[in-house]
Amino acid sequence: MDELRIGDITLASRLFVGTGKYRDMEQTRAAIEASGAQVVTVAVRRVDLAKKDAELGRYLIEKKYTILPNTAGCFDVETTLRTARLAREMLGTPLLKLEVLGDEETLFPDVPATLEAAKILVKEGFVVLPYTTDDPITARKLEDLGCAAVMPLAAPIGSGLGIRNPYNLEIILTRAKVPVIVDAGVGTASDAAIAMEMGCHGVLMNTAIAGAKDPVLMASAMRKAVEAGREAYRAGRIPRKLFATASSPLAGVIGSKQ
Amino acid sequence: MQLEVNGEPKEIEAGATVRALLTSIGLGETLVAVERNGIIVPRKDHATTPLADGDRLEVVHFVGGG
């Protein structure tokens, strides 16, 4: 079996999906089911005391999804740490998607703050999966701090621009000893397939599915793309060549002299 | 006594516990986590942790996110 191990969890699906931006709970359910994902991300927010709608967490636990809480929306280390601890208190498990954002316009990570938070959270026993830039040095530092994976962005969150710097990703992949999961930037199925063909260990996405015209169909497409990309990576692609190589024998064509 | 819950003022009888607060706002059986004055109150301690006048509480749950 071609399984992905992160910390002490073993996964058959390499597609990680978010639960944000769906029309309603029913669409959320249908899309994450169609994606085949085992790991789903959620955000931690204040309960709206007027609504008290806590359907999502209950549903995900009931369906035995592996919940990966994020610290999205946190722009400083202190808020990030508090959010992480609250998530762990709710779940009772230490899995965490660490996000410390730098600014609202780009949603790029604040790298020094991410490193600082990762250091503290790893010490506190969290299994930290950090959202980071595609900078190989940062990826290495996060790994050295004890993160269970690194999650470089392919493009800005929600941008759908695809894999914008495959060469940086390749450098990260060549050197990382922990799983590399592309987090953010995927726009359509081919983007996910490219990431997987390059050897990424998984892909995490939300907007590419939730923002599609038909999110459930796109979830299914992403499932296939991640599987296809992974199989192609394992199969080993042919080298790129400038000139043709015939697939059919050149000898024995009718009307030839021999 | 007067509390601040998720940034909003909240009045509750003196001596109420975290559990009593959650029940009073209809979250008795809901998956939430509670932070009191910046420090988490573990679920097992909800029923035995009394609140004090002026406490600031954060009550969070999971919402859709990426």
Side-chain angles (χ1 to χ4, degrees), chain A:
Chain A
M1 270 295 271
D2 174 42
E3 287 173 326
L4 172 60
R5 281 191 68 84
I6 296 176
D8 59 1
I9 58 169
T10 304
L11 301 164
S13 171
R14 290 167 182 271
L15 175 57
F16 296 44
V17 296
T19 51
K21 297 187 181 175
Y22 287 101
R23 190 182 58 218
D24 51 29
M25 191 59 208
E26 193 191 324
Q27 192 183 56
T28 311
R29 278 195 285 260
I32 60 177
E33 197 181 324
S35 77
Q38 291 166 279
V39 178
V40 296
T41 63
V42 293
V44 176
R45 289 293 178 274
R46 281 175 163 172
V47 176
D48 180 343
L49 296 179
K51 278 164 57 189
K52 298 168 210 149
D53 177 16
E55 209 182 345
L56 181 69
R58 209 167 46 225
Y59 172 76
L60 297 175
I61 289 169
E62 183 191 308
K63 290 288 178 183
K64 301 203 167 24
Y65 285 106
T66 297
I67 299 178
L68 176 59
N70 67 31
T71 59
C74 296
F75 289 84
D76 63 81
V77 173
E78 189 52 37
T79 311
T80 304
L81 298 178
R82 287 170 63 194
T83 303
R85 291 165 188 151
L86 284 164
R88 178 161 69 175
E89 159 62 17
M90 251 185 300
L91 271 183
T93 57
L95 207 56
L96 182 77
K97 176 181 165 183
L98 172 63
E99 257 184 71
V100 192
L101 300 173
D103 78 51
E104 287 184 29
E105 198 169 20
T106 64
L107 298 179
F108 278 139
D110 178 333
V111 167
T114 302
L115 289 165
E116 191 186 332
K119 189 174 181 178
I120 296 166
L121 291 168
V122 168
K123 277 208 184 104
E124 291 185 12
F126 283 88
V127 175
V128 179
L129 282 56
Y131 159 69
T132 180
T133 54
D134 59 11
D135 167 28
I137 305 304
T138 304
R140 195 197 64 211
K141 286 185 177 181
L142 287 165
E143 184 180 329
D144 289 347
L145 286 173
C147 291
V150 289
M151 306 209 294
L153 55 85
I157 293 172
S159 70
L161 289 171
I163 316 292
R164 300 203 355 181
N165 196 338
Y167 301 104
N168 271 30
L169 265 186
E170 210 170 312
I171 293 172
I172 293 173
L173 282 165
T174 305
R175 308 201 303 179
K177 291 180 196 70
V178 293
V180 177
I181 296 161
V182 161
D183 177 9
V186 164
T188 188
S190 53
D191 297 332
I194 287 169
M196 295 308 295
E197 284 171 10
M198 288 178 60
C200 292
H201 302 87
V203 180
L204 194 162
M205 63 181 77
N206 190 155
T207 308
I209 296 175
K213 271 188 197 155
D214 184 340
V216 180
L217 190 57
M218 186 58 92
S220 161
M222 290 300 187
R223 173 188 198 151
K224 290 168 187 160
V226 168
E227 285 174 6
R230 177 66 187 174
E231 286 185 3
Y233 168 74
R234 293 177 64 213
R237 60 152 299 148
I238 60 163
R240 291 177 173 85
K241 286 180 290 189
L242 189 57
F243 290 100
T245 314
S247 302
S248 310
L250 291 176
V253 176
I254 56 163
S256 56
K257 293 287 179 199
Q258 278 192 323

